[in-house]
Amino acid sequence: MDTTVTLRATAGLPAVTLPAIGQGTWYMGEGLNPRNAEVRALQQGLDLGLTLIDTAEMYADGGAEQVVGEALKGRRDQAFLVSKVYPWNAGRRSAIAACEASLKRLGTDHLDLYLLHWPGSIPLEETLEAFERLQADGKIKRFGVSNCDLGEMQELAYTDGGDQCAVNQVLYHLGSRGIEYSLLPWQRERDLPTMAYCPLAQGGRLRRELFGHPELNAIAGDLGVTVAQLLLAWAIRPVNGRRDVLAIPKAVQPEHVQQNAEALTLQLSDEVLARLDAAFPAPKRKTPLDIV
């Protein structure tokens, strides 16, 4: 069973294959958990094949990048490293400075993927110009966007250089399926993968609602897995025979990291998918993009 997602070839770069589940770092570096536990969790994930690590200059004001940098000491080449730039730092010069600051905190000379964290007031042309310069200087390999809805993706597609976008990172989980109405189909037509943040509904009250949902608990019990594993397997499920969604859950406890890795090989039958659709139906109209 293929458990990977492929980022297409871009100018000067071959296609790259990644595990469909990676590691998120939102809320790391904030003192919520011991720093050494966060570092160990990321290293454990690498050991288990969760080689994509996603972070951002926003997370803990750079603190999460420092945790990632510590985790990658001596093993940077084992990770596919993603970070994100604030929209107000995404200018022609400011994006260069922001990226260099991220690289310093991460203790590396390059990012595998650099994302615009969400759309802002700086013109896309200017941001893309900065990204292309960072590529030319070897500081980033690929670039992409985050929190972009259909209209913003269409604008990007018609902007010079926008066709080199490697991924769009958006909120996506069983309880938030809005992107399935128009954004996901549009990206699939263009072979553009989606990176799902909060795949376990980490944001707010909804997590409790999902994790306590009787049908989700019944299905997880039938399969002998946790609700979290069920949610991850659903998020990365193949559609029309191929996977194009990467999930990036955050985990600190060793058992959670292990469970996330095991979810990579969890196959959901048509019957299970139908039960999940019945409990949490796909949208029948366009809804605003969920952002947390």
Side-chain angles (χ1 to χ4, degrees):
M1 176 183 61
D2 187 12
T3 59
T4 63
V5 171
T6 299
L7 301 191
R8 63 191 176 184
T10 53
L13 283 173
V16 61
T17 301
L18 299 168
I21 295 176
Q23 302 187 79
T25 62
W26 193 19
Y27 291 120
M28 285 191 179
E30 295 190 357
L32 300 175
N33 295 282
R35 186 185 185 89
N36 62 350
E38 295 175 339
V39 168
R40 275 200 310 268
L42 293 171
Q43 292 173 334
Q44 179 191 359
L46 281 180
D47 293 340
L48 293 172
L50 307 181
T51 52
L52 186 153
I53 297 179
D54 174 84
T55 190
E57 66 172 342
M58 183 187 87
Y59 302 163
D61 291 326
E65 289 180 324
Q66 292 173 329
V67 171
V68 172
E70 196 173 328
L72 292 183
K73 276 181 186 169
R75 51 192 309 182
R76 168 67 182 90
D77 60 344
Q78 296 172 28
F80 185 93
L81 185 54
V82 185
S83 194
K84 299 184 280 293
V85 59
Y86 275 124
W88 51 84
N89 281 344
R92 189 173 287 108
R93 294 187 180 84
S94 55
I96 308 292
C99 183
E100 288 172 347
S102 286
L103 293 175
K104 185 173 182 180
R105 287 187 292 267
L106 288 160
T108 184
D109 62 356
H110 75 280
L111 292 168
D112 296 292
L113 179 62
Y114 197 37
L115 307 179
L116 173 64
H117 206 148
W118 63 88
S121 58
I122 291 174
L124 267 176
E125 294 88 346
E126 197 173 320
T127 300
L128 292 176
E129 186 183 319
F131 284 172
E132 287 166 2
R133 185 174 148 202
L134 287 166
Q135 278 182 310
D137 292 343
K139 291 171 183 172
I140 67 171
K141 291 190 175 180
R142 290 172 173 79
F143 64 80
V145 293
S146 180
N147 294 304
C148 283
D149 206 349
L150 180 61
E152 290 144 349
M153 293 306 295
Q154 290 171 329
E155 180 188 353
L156 177 66
Y158 290 114
T159 303
D160 189 35
D163 60 339
Q164 298 300 301
C165 175
V167 75
N168 183 19
Q169 181 182 124
V170 291
L171 185 149
Y172 183 51
H173 57 73
L174 183 63
S176 180
R177 301 180 63 173
I179 65 170
E180 291 179 31
Y181 185 79
S182 56
L183 179 61
L184 259 184
W186 186 90
Q187 291 187 193
R188 284 179 172 142
E189 283 176 13
R190 288 153 184 79
D191 197 24
L192 182 65
T194 300
M195 196 176 292
Y197 73 80
C198 290
L200 302 179
Q202 288 101 320
R205 206 169 47 83
L206 191 58
R207 177 184 175 92
R208 293 195 294 277
E209 292 180 5
L210 284 185
F211 277 65
H213 194 281
E215 180 70 341
L216 293 192
N217 278 276
I219 294 171
D222 291 345
L223 297 175
V225 299
T226 66
V227 171
Q229 288 175 313
L230 177 63
L231 291 171
L232 285 178
W234 178 88
I236 66 167
R237 70 201 183 283
V239 173
N240 298 323
R242 62 182 298 233
R243 296 183 196 265
D244 62 0
V245 175
L246 298 135
I248 47 169
K250 187 206 82 167
V252 176
Q253 301 307 318
E255 62 270 23
H256 293 160
V257 179
Q258 180 73 40
Q259 288 166 6
N260 290 351
E262 290 170 355
L264 262 176
T265 54
L266 176 57
Q267 291 180 278
L268 304 181
S269 68
D270 290 343
E271 179 196 354
V272 165
L273 290 172
R275 289 174 68 183
L276 293 171
D277 278 342
F280 294 90
K284 290 185 167 55
R285 60 181 177 81
K286 178 81 174 73
T287 56
L289 185 70
D290 258 354
I291 295 174
V292 294

